[in-house]
Amino acid sequence: MKTHYGIYGGQYVAETLMAPLKELEAAYESAKADPAFRREFEEILREYVGRESPITVAKRLTEHLGGAKIVLKREDLNHTGAHKVNNTIGQALLARRMGKRRLIAETGAGMHGVATATVAALFGMPCEVYMGALDVERQAPNVERMKMLGATVHAVTEGSATLKDAMNEALRDWVANCDDTFYVIGTVAGPAPYPEMVRDFQSVIGVEARRQCLERFGRLPDEAIACVGGGSNAMGLFAGFVDDADVRLVGVEAGGKGIATGEHAASINGGRLGVLHGSKTMLLQTDDGNVIDTYSVSAGLDYPGVGPEHCYLHDIGRAEYSVITDDEAIAAFDALCRFEGIIPALESSHAIAEAIKRAPKMPKDSIILVNLSGRGDKDMENVKRYKESHK
Amino acid sequence: MKNRIKNAFAKAKKESRGAFVAYLTMGYPTLEASEAAADALAEGGADVLELGVPFSDPFADGGVIRSAAYRALENGVALKDVIALAKRLRTRHPQTGIVLFSYYNPVFSMGLERFADAAADAGIDAVLSVDLPYEEREELLAVLRPRDIGYVPLIAPNTPIERVGDSADGVGDSFLYVVTVKGTTGARTELPSDLSARLEAIRAVSPIPVAAGFGISTRAQADVVSRHADGYIVGSALVRRLGEAGELKGEMLP
C-alpha cells in the first residue's frame, strides 16, 4: 500500500498505533478486492444517501457573470447534507468487517460528526465524537443532531479548543482502545492508509461528476474547483479528473482575514513543511514548530494541516491552490442564495467564490465544475452574526 | 564513543538495581524550576534524564504532562531553550545520560542537520520522538548517527516481538523504552499482569538495555519492573510532584 505522496504523508504516530494501522491497511486492501464490499457500499450510497447526486447548471449566476458556465455538483443534497457521509459509510462498513464494535470521530464544523453518528445509528454501533469546545459553541445545531442520533459528544477544552485538539483527543482514545474501536477520520489527512482510503470513498463525487458532464455537455469541464480544509471533498472531486490533463484542478483554501494578517487556515499557501497527526504535510506553525491556531469564518476549513496528496498535487503542478477570504466567501454565499435558491455551506462558499472570480475571465463555452460539498443550514447563525459585526 | 547511556545501565546492573530514568517537561513550572529539578534528579540518583520538549499538540500524553506542556509553552519555552538547558546540565553532570524527548515536529521544523548539530554541541546522548516509528525514523537517524547520538525506540504492548529486534537495530547508544500500557502517559494504580513476561520476552531479543515506562509512580512498581527490565522510567509522577511542591527533593523520588 502507498503510504507516501512524494515527500508527504507517512505514518508519524505513536508506536501503539502502528499495529492498528497495519491491521487497517490489511483490512482495507482485502475489502477493496472484495466485490461484495463494493456492492454493499454502493447500495447504501444509492438507497440511503440518495446517490447519485445531480449536477445543476447555475443558470442565473452564469448569466450574471457573463463568462464560463458554472455547474454545481450537488453533494449538499446527500442525506445528512454534505459529502462527509460517503466516507463514513465506507469506514463503518470496514469497521464492521474488522469486528470493531465502537466508532469514534473528531469533528470541526460537526458535519463529519453528524455523518459518523448517522452511520453508527444505521449500523447499531456506539459512537463518541470529539469536538473542540469553541466549535461546540459555533455549531450548536450539529451538536444537537449528533446527540439526537445517539452519539456522545465530548467538548474538548484544551489547546485552541478546535478541530486539531479534537483530533488529539480522538487519537488518545484510539491509543487506549484500539482493540475494539475504529477511528473514523473525516478527511484525507492523518496517517496512512487514511488519506488514500478517504479519497477512495469520496472518489464517487468525481467519478459521477465526470460521467454526468460527459452525458450532459458531451465534454469535460475546463476547471474543477473545490474547497480545501483537510481536503476530502476536493480529493473526491479531483479523483475523477486527475488523469484528464486538460481539466484544471483548483483547491481553495480558507484565507480568513487575509494571508497577510496571519489569521487564516491556508496551509499550502501560508504554511511550511511539518508533521502533525500522522502525516508530513504543509502546516501552519511557529518558528519553533508549534502548531498555530487557525482562523476561518468556516469551522470546517479551520485546520492547520492539509491532506498530503494535495501537497503532492501542488508540488507536481497538477492542481493549483488559491485563497478566498471570509468576505469573499460570504459574498458568494449570498450570491448562490439569491441567484440559484441554494443555501451553500460556508466551506463550499469558498469554492463558489473562486468560480465567481474566474468565470467572467473565461469564454462562454467553457465550463467550471464546482463541488457544492454541503448545504448551509448549519451556518445561518454564523452568517447573520458575521454580517452584523461587519456592517 | 561516550556511551553514557550504556554505562549508566551497566553501573545500575553492577549495583543490582534497575536504572532510574527520570522524565521532566522542561519549562514547567518555570524553566529555572525544571532545571533545578533536573539537577536534583541527577544528584539524587537518576541514571538517565529525559528532557521533555513542550509541544502544542501533545496527543500521546495524559493530563499531567499535557498541562505541564501548555504551561511551559506559556512560559515561552521551546526546543532551542531545552537544548541550551541540556548543555548547562551536561557541564554539571558529565556522567548522567541525557535524552531529549520530543514530538517530531519541533525537531523536524528546526531542520534536521541544524538540530543534530545543536544536540551534539549540547552533549545530548540520545533523542526520543514519540511519533516517529520505525517506518519513518531513518531521516532522523541519518543525521544522528554521524554525530554519535543515539535514538530511543518505543515498544508498545501490541508491538510484535519480531519488530523489537528491528526497532533496536542501529540506534547507537540507547535503550528500548517499553510502554507498559495502551494509552497515554500517566500514573496507573495497577500495571498489566502480563508485564513481567512481556519484559522478559523483549529483553531476550534486545541488544540494548530495556526500560519500562508509562504508569510507574511508586517505589513498589519500580521494584517489580526492575526484576524484569534493566530500568524504569518515571515521568508524570515527577512532573506532578514538581508542580505541587515547586521543587524536587530526594525524598520525592520513587
Side-chain angles (χ1 to χ4, degrees), chain A residues 4 10-16 18 22 158 164 168 172 175 179 272 274-275 280 285 288-291, chain B residues 55-59 61 66 70 73 78 80 105 109 130-131 133 135-136 139 154 156 158-159 163 182-183:
Chain A
H4 292 72
Q11 296 180 311
Y12 295 86
V13 295
E15 174 66 16
T16 313
M18 285 310 297
K22 286 181 191 293
E158 65 181 64
K164 77 178 178 73
N168 291 337
R172 286 179 201 118
V175 163
D179 289 339
R272 67 188 170 89
V275 174
K280 197 175 273 184
Q285 55 181 318
D288 291 319
N290 287 301
V291 181
Chain B
F55 180 52
S56 54
D57 293 79
F59 49 80
D61 282 300
R66 259 142 63 198
Y70 295 137
L73 289 174
K80 58 183 184 295
N105 195 55
S109 170
V130 188
D131 49 350
E135 284 73 2
E136 307 292 352
E139 66 177 14
L154 293 166
N158 53 0
T159 300
R163 187 176 160 88
K182 282 184 197 149

Side-chain angles (χ1 to χ4, degrees), chain A residues 138-139 254 256 295-300 302 325-327 329-330 346-347 350 379 382-383 386:
Chain A
R138 289 196 284 188
Q139 306 284 337
Y295 166 78
S296 166
V297 68
S298 144
D302 215 344
T325 63
D326 284 357
D327 286 344
I330 294 279
L346 277 177
E347 292 78 15
H350 286 72
D379 293 314
N382 293 325
V383 173
Y386 186 89

Side-chain angles (χ1 to χ4, degrees), chain A residues 101-124:
Chain A
R101 50 164 284 281
R102 172 174 175 264
L103 301 182
I104 58 171
E106 84 294 335
T107 195
M111 298 310 285
H112 174 61
V114 167
T116 307
T118 299
V119 296
L122 179 67
F123 285 31

Side-chain angles (χ1 to χ4, degrees), chain B residues 5-79:
Chain B
I5 291 175
K6 189 178 165 194
N7 295 340
F9 276 88
K11 175 168 173 275
K13 189 171 185 180
K14 214 169 139 194
E15 295 166 5
S16 301
R17 59 181 179 85
F20 172 28
V21 180
Y23 169 96
L24 288 175
T25 301
M26 292 296 113
Y28 173 79
T30 63
L31 190 65
E32 295 70 28
S34 62
E35 184 166 351
D39 280 325
L41 285 165
E43 282 151 21
D47 300 287
V48 176
L49 293 174
E50 286 183 346
L51 309 182
V53 177
F55 180 52
S56 54
D57 293 79
F59 49 80
D61 282 300
V64 171
I65 292 180
R66 259 142 63 198
S67 304
Y70 295 137
R71 171 79 79 81
L73 289 174
E74 283 166 25
N75 293 338
V77 174
L79 174 58

